[in-house]
Amino acid sequence: MVSEKISPYISFTREEWAKLRFNTPMTLTKAEIKELQGINERLSVEEVEKIYLPLTRLLNLYINASQQLHSVTDQFFGQATRKVPYIIGVAGSVAVGKSTTSRILQSLLSRLPEHPKVQIVTTDGFLYPNAILESKGLMDKKGFPESYDIRKLIHFLSDLKSGKDNVRAPVYSHFTYDIVPEEYVEVDGADIVIIEGINVLQTPVTNEMLSRLYVSDFFDMSLFVDADEVDIKRWYIERFKILKESAFKDPNAYFNRYADLNDEEAEEVAADIWNRINKKNLELNISPTKYRSTIIFKKGKDHLTEKISLRKV
């Protein structure tokens, strides 16, 4: 372990972090791990054992400490107050592996001895519908802070932390590339909620009173999935080429127009989209939020986590 005196983080190598697993059991099978991995990721049993089991142990300790604090607060007030969900934010670039990280955490945390109810909510559902984005001239800035209905996201998180039942989040379809009308994810009775999205650590973009609240103000802890831009771009292009041979083939898919491209053409299109939109968003809005997180996972070119940084308490 390397303790950097001028840094708010303590950094660990892959092997140093793996030793912090202690006796945390592996509760996922090889087949289950394969189902959890992303389209072009190669998630191994070793990666789960060395990276995600120590993280699960740490989160379990954090959650238990939070519950103890809740009990102490009840003792102070002399009455039982309603327990609210523990909220974990997962941030990072497009194509870096946030969704895979969230799914692994959901599976491992839900199999803890207490069997907590763990739900994932993606902030994609809080994007403005395409019709609104088109009217605002923001279709080429989809994923940028201004393309989200932050007010609605703040209200959703506020309701969660207020202990409300049946809190609903809108649903986004990557197939139609738009919000699904009248479809919602319902969060009810969850012990842990994972909020996954590229924008979850970003600061407000307007001067409205509500925007003085940050999305991350509602998090109990946050995780930033990091990698070098050259690797993320390559993963994005690889995923695009795989999708053109699968999901894009459906005539109803938003990106069906790319289905008949050859690999060279697909690579050019994907690189252009990356350079015009995702690269700019990463540099301007996503990477600058990295050091607002509790934990940073730095991935290498093969998607394996090479370095873990944990914010000092």
Side-chain angles (χ1 to χ4, degrees):
M1 180 177 66
V2 179
S3 179
E4 293 137 351
K5 293 182 180 179
I6 60 172
S7 171
Y9 291 89
I10 303 172
S11 296
F12 302 83
T13 66
R14 180 181 177 86
E15 297 305 322
E16 288 169 341
W17 182 256
K19 292 176 182 178
L20 299 175
R21 170 189 174 182
F22 287 3
N23 61 347
T24 307
M26 167 60 89
T27 54
L28 296 175
T29 66
K30 188 174 182 179
E32 288 171 330
I33 291 171
K34 186 175 181 179
E35 289 181 3
L36 292 170
Q37 69 184 9
I39 292 175
N40 59 325
E41 293 181 58
R42 295 170 184 82
L43 182 63
S44 66
V45 173
E46 180 187 24
E47 182 76 355
V48 175
E49 289 177 338
K50 289 190 172 184
I51 303 302
Y52 290 98
L53 290 185
L55 177 59
T56 301
R57 174 175 172 254
L58 177 65
L59 287 174
N60 193 29
L61 291 170
Y62 278 11
I63 292 166
N64 287 337
S66 176
Q67 291 171 345
Q68 290 173 14
L69 180 60
H70 179 82
S71 298
V72 169
T73 304
D74 281 354
Q75 184 179 355
F76 175 75
F77 286 119
Q79 63 182 21
T81 57
R82 186 160 193 169
K83 189 175 72 173
V84 297
Y86 189 91
I87 300 184
I88 302 169
V90 178
S93 171
V94 169
V96 79
K98 299 182 305 302
S99 297
T100 298
T101 293
S102 299
R103 289 192 296 267
I104 298 169
L105 287 179
Q106 180 187 36
S107 295
L108 290 173
L109 290 170
S110 65
R111 299 184 190 199
L112 290 170
E114 300 82 6
H115 297 291
K117 181 179 180 180
V118 187
Q119 289 188 250
I120 298 174
V121 174
T122 67
T123 59
D124 290 345
F126 294 92
L127 285 161
Y128 286 113
N130 284 356
I132 294 178
L133 293 177
E134 288 170 355
S135 69
K136 293 176 176 285
L138 292 174
M139 281 300 287
D140 279 345
K141 284 197 168 184
K142 203 168 192 178
F144 282 60
E146 55 267 40
S147 67
Y148 290 89
D149 189 340
I150 297 297
R151 175 179 287 272
K152 183 181 287 188
L153 177 54
I154 291 289
H155 276 305
F156 169 78
L157 292 168
S158 179
D159 285 347
L160 282 184
K161 277 302 188 183
S162 298
K164 288 188 178 180
D165 297 322
N166 305 315
V167 183
R168 301 195 307 175
V171 172
Y172 181 83
S173 169
H174 288 277
F175 178 77
T176 62
Y177 199 58
D178 203 353
I179 300 298
V180 182
E182 303 304 318
E183 188 170 328
Y184 301 90
V185 172
E186 190 173 275
V187 180
D188 186 32
D191 299 295
I192 303 168
V193 179
I194 298 170
I195 306 293
E196 179 248 308
I198 61 177
N199 65 319
V200 296
L201 295 176
Q202 288 167 5
T203 54
V205 294
T206 72
N207 292 321
E208 295 179 25
M209 177 66 72
L210 187 63
S211 72
R212 294 179 186 177
L213 283 172
Y214 297 175
V215 170
S216 58
D217 287 341
F218 296 91
F219 296 164
D220 293 286
M221 70 86 62
S222 55
L223 171 67
F224 190 96
V225 185
D226 191 25
D228 291 338
E229 192 267 335
V230 64
D231 292 322
I232 305 175
K233 178 180 178 180
R234 176 167 50 82
W235 298 336
Y236 177 80
I237 292 172
E238 287 173 355
R239 187 174 71 179
F240 187 93
K241 290 164 70 175
I242 292 170
L243 289 172
K244 84 173 179 68
E245 298 295 341
S246 53
F248 294 176
K249 292 291 186 183
D250 191 308
N252 295 314
Y254 181 85
F255 290 109
N256 173 257
R257 61 188 180 278
Y258 299 132
D260 295 327
L261 299 178
N262 60 40
D263 280 351
E264 184 178 350
E265 291 169 333
E267 188 163 332
E268 289 179 1
V269 169
D272 176 64
I273 295 172
W274 176 267
N275 291 328
R276 285 189 299 105
I277 302 173
N278 297 312
K279 177 183 175 68
K280 291 180 180 179
N281 199 16
L282 175 61
E283 293 175 348
L284 294 175
N285 303 309
I286 302 171
S287 287
T289 70
K290 175 167 57 178
Y291 296 110
R292 301 190 69 237
S293 63
T294 314
I295 302 173
I296 303 169
F297 275 9
K298 178 62 184 292
K299 288 186 171 185
K301 62 182 180 180
D302 52 4
H303 266 292
L304 296 180
T305 305
E306 296 180 337
K307 179 182 176 183
I308 301 89
S309 299
L310 174 64
R311 182 176 287 277
K312 298 173 184 176
V313 176

